[in-house]
Amino acid sequence: MGLSPDEIRARIAAVDGWWHSIELAPGIVTPGGKSADVLRDELAALRLDDLALAGKSVIDIGAWDGFYSFEAERRGAARVLALDHFVWCLDFAEAGRQREARTAAGLAPPDYDDIPSAWRPDLLPGKRGFDTAREILGSRVESRVGDLMEIDPAELGTFDVALYLGVLYHVKNPLEALRRLARITREVAVIETQAVVLDGFESFALCEFYETDECNGDPTNWWAPNEKALVGMCRAAGFREAKLVVAKPKEKLPRQRKIQHRLTGEPLRQARPPVPYRAIVHARK
Ligand SMILES: C[S@@+](CC[C@H](N)C(=O)[O-])C[C@H]1O[C@@H](n2cnc3c(N)ncnc32)[C@H](O)[C@@H]1O
């Protein structure tokens, strides 16, 4: 669009908060909460090379500033749709103020949906980053404001590849989310999610539940499945197979202590705390 580097920098600075670090011109990168290094590592971990995106239709659910949508386009996808609603509608500054007020009053952090003054679907304050990046990149990525949990999947249509990155643990009903994901996926869904190792319980399909903001201080995080639950939920939702491409944390699990029953002397296992990590699944139809 013929903007000078200074004009591009000014357009970037005019956006109130970036989540993704996106190179919009040589050497000019948006100041995302997720650094360029983190995104490079995340991207490599997704193993998109295995999916050959060229010529395919792709939906990026929970696209935010669109780093992965633009990456799919860069890899030659024929059509890319960026879908989001939550952060696009949210006025983060107002949500932060309301949250601080609740915390100061000794109350649990609010569910952001319950802060009417921070919910601005009329202005879409959180979509300015996506729109700015799209325009400067000269991108053809389409966007749609919508909640996967409410849109009629038949109306959304189907896509060869669905990216579902960093979203599953934000939904209150993850099995229904995966069922909807399966409905709109033709070939493969890439699911990146908060997960847990529950040492000693690997043969059970279990999820850890977060009542408020125990997971990363974010009250919108609800669930973290273990590996068996994640794979099982994908299959129950309508995917033929679910393959973990990143499994289990690299760091060592905390050491388990041997303890004895105080009265009988019987050896007991003291449960290790859940170990959080980020799992990535390629779920195929
Ligand atoms: C942690 S961010 C991940 C952003 C991006 N996918 C990434 O991996 O960097 C979660 C995103 O999912 C979006 N989101 C959460 N629930 C959603 C839903 N039901 N439908 C569409 N988007 C949703 C949020 O608005 C937010 O943009």
Side-chain angles (χ1 to χ4, degrees), residues 19-20 34 62 64 84-87 146-148 165-167 170:
W19 177 241
H20 288 147
K34 259 190 194 178
W64 204 327
D84 209 317
H85 75 117
F86 186 76
V87 298
D147 181 343
L148 181 69
L165 312 174
V167 189
H170 286 299

Side-chain angles (χ1 to χ4, degrees), residues 175-234:
L175 183 58
E176 174 60 15
L178 292 173
R179 280 168 56 88
R180 286 169 168 266
L181 185 67
R183 286 271 308 272
I184 62 167
T185 303
R186 265 202 295 269
E187 196 178 300
V188 59
V190 182
I191 302 161
E192 191 265 358
T193 182
Q194 184 78 24
V196 277
V197 175
L198 297 162
D199 183 49
F201 293 90
E202 287 83 356
S203 56
F204 298 91
L206 301 172
C207 295
E208 187 178 14
F209 172 69
Y210 307 110
E211 183 181 337
T212 60
D213 63 352
E214 307 92 291
C215 179
N216 303 330
D218 184 344
T220 71
N221 293 342
W222 297 104
W223 299 99
N226 71 355
E227 186 174 319
K228 195 169 163 78
L230 180 56
V231 169
M233 280 197 294
C234 288

Side-chain angles (χ1 to χ4, degrees), residues 113-266:
D113 305 23
D114 294 337
I115 311 175
S117 60
W119 198 245
R120 300 306 306 260
D122 51 334
L123 297 176
L124 297 176
K127 190 168 180 275
R128 289 187 195 129
F130 174 87
D131 289 336
T132 301
R134 181 182 186 278
E135 190 185 334
I136 295 173
L137 290 170
S139 161
R140 291 185 300 113
V141 168
E142 300 161 34
S143 67
R144 174 161 175 176
V145 182
D147 181 343
L148 181 69
M149 302 308 287
E150 288 178 5
I151 293 178
D152 175 2
E155 189 247 315
L156 200 51
T158 56
F159 297 81
D160 297 320
V161 177
L163 303 179
Y164 197 57
L165 312 174
V167 189
L168 185 64
Y169 53 93
H170 286 299
V171 295
K172 290 171 185 157
N173 186 342
L175 183 58
E176 174 60 15
L178 292 173
R179 280 168 56 88
R180 286 169 168 266
L181 185 67
R183 286 271 308 272
I184 62 167
T185 303
R186 265 202 295 269
E187 196 178 300
V188 59
V190 182
I191 302 161
E192 191 265 358
T193 182
Q194 184 78 24
V196 277
V197 175
L198 297 162
D199 183 49
F201 293 90
E202 287 83 356
S203 56
F204 298 91
L206 301 172
C207 295
E208 187 178 14
F209 172 69
Y210 307 110
E211 183 181 337
T212 60
D213 63 352
E214 307 92 291
C215 179
N216 303 330
D218 184 344
T220 71
N221 293 342
W222 297 104
W223 299 99
N226 71 355
E227 186 174 319
K228 195 169 163 78
L230 180 56
V231 169
M233 280 197 294
C234 288
R235 287 197 297 247
F239 291 100
R240 177 175 47 83
E241 68 162 28
K243 192 168 148 232
L244 269 118
V245 297
V246 166
K248 298 269 175 76
K250 288 189 204 98
E251 65 265 32
K252 278 199 182 142
L253 294 171
R255 189 190 290 258
Q256 186 181 23
R257 283 202 299 141
K258 283 201 179 113
I259 53 173
Q260 292 184 328
H261 192 284
R262 199 164 47 88
L263 300 176
T264 64
E266 185 189 348

